Amino acid sequence: MRRIPLIIDTDTAQDDCVALLVGLLDPAAELRAITMVAGNVGFERQVLNAHLTLSAAGRLGEVPIHLGCRRPLVREWVSAEYVHGDGAGGLSMDYAGLATHPQHGVDALIEHAAAAPGEITIVCIGPLTNIAMAAIKDPDFVRNVKALYIMGGSNNARGNITAAAEYNFYVDPEAAKTVFEAGFAITVVPWAPLVLRDAVFDADRLRGIAALDTPLASFFTRITQTTLGFNESVGIAGSTHPDSLTAALLVRPDLVRARADYAVQIETASELTRGYAAMSWGVHGLEANATVIESVDADAFAEYLTALLSTETVQSRPFNGGH
Ligand SMILES: [Ca+2]
């Protein structure tokens, strides 16, 4: 089997960790690097969360973590700690001796793409700051990247951080605008209606995962707890999996039920609709710049992740407190 070379650009907290597990554990995936971008929780906390995830997968130290941009292009950073807590459900371990790669995340993206032109897909599950910076820094970057799988925006539906906007595009709208105008081959996994309908795990599903009783299932249960509580407070009946769905669709395109070409434009001028993604479905005379996933097989996706979490792994380092 030819494995799919990918890089995951992430603001590692909660479902980002699950997306990393897809890259680390699916035999079809060849995760070449992790690049960190300012997003969900504090930057250093996100790095620790990535180390924790590598450890849970038994791969600590095997995939380089590159530190990327520590704030959005123009705006102040906006945290989502009220949603995610520390992003790892309070897990910790001995971090002694662990290092991140000395190369900056933006340069790592550029170099990986240049070393294998047309081969590498970047799974973008945080604000798009690093991707925009790479496109600005290297005029060949867009051509060298095979594709971007982007979690962000909503397809003519509700946002999450505001009524209009989904978090990733809201945090760095100028970066999102730059990326969507750059000419990449883009697949978009939108928050609504897609994730809210097809990537929510209800209590039954979560009990089924916990009952697997593997170290990975325990890790999953622990790190999804905080968002679960937040979701209940805003009327979402379960845990949400936007980032792991985005990674999964790269290795399991058969999960897609409907997709279509759209012209995606990002709002940067308004404060009211900051980061809104206008997704035009082909009737407004605009040239398409992205494929938007409209529907996936929700049960098959949940079964895919459940199977992944049933993998028996030997944790690289134990979590503190005996987990
Ligand atoms: Ca994320």
Side-chain angles (χ1 to χ4, degrees), residues 1 3-6 22-31 251:
M1 178 175 56
R3 298 164 77 208
I4 299 167
L6 73 148
V22 171
L24 291 165
L25 296 169
D26 190 309
E30 183 190 328
L31 182 60
V251 289

Side-chain angles (χ1 to χ4, degrees), residues 9-13 15-16 40 84 125-127 151 167-168 242-243:
D9 187 68
T10 166
D11 53 343
T12 313
D15 196 45
D16 289 80
N40 284 323
H84 301 291
I125 53 177
M151 191 284 130
Y167 175 80
N168 289 341
D243 296 346

Side-chain angles (χ1 to χ4, degrees), residues 135 142-143 145-146 148 177-186 289:
V142 173
R143 188 172 62 240
V145 168
K146 181 180 184 190
L148 302 180
K177 179 179 167 67
T178 300
V179 167
F180 278 94
E181 292 177 355
F184 290 104
I186 294 175
N289 62 354

Side-chain angles (χ1 to χ4, degrees), residues 47-72:
V47 175
L48 297 181
N49 293 347
H51 284 310
L52 288 168
T53 307
L54 286 164
S55 182
R59 301 279 303 278
L60 194 61
E62 291 180 27
V63 178
I65 301 171
H66 297 263
L67 307 186
C69 297
R70 290 165 181 265
R71 45 154 278 198

Side-chain angles (χ1 to χ4, degrees), residues 67-129:
L67 307 186
C69 297
R70 290 165 181 265
R71 45 154 278 198
L73 294 182
V74 180
R75 319 254 181 169
E76 293 294 319
W77 170 60
V78 180
S79 131
E81 280 154 327
Y82 67 102
V83 179
H84 301 291
D86 67 2
L91 281 178
S92 65
M93 66 180 187
D94 178 7
Y95 301 107
L98 295 177
T100 54
H101 196 285
Q103 185 181 38
H104 192 273
V106 171
D107 294 321
L109 289 166
I110 289 170
E111 274 199 16
H112 274 283
E119 289 183 20
I120 292 181
T121 297
I122 306 170
V123 175
C124 311
I125 53 177
L128 288 166
T129 320

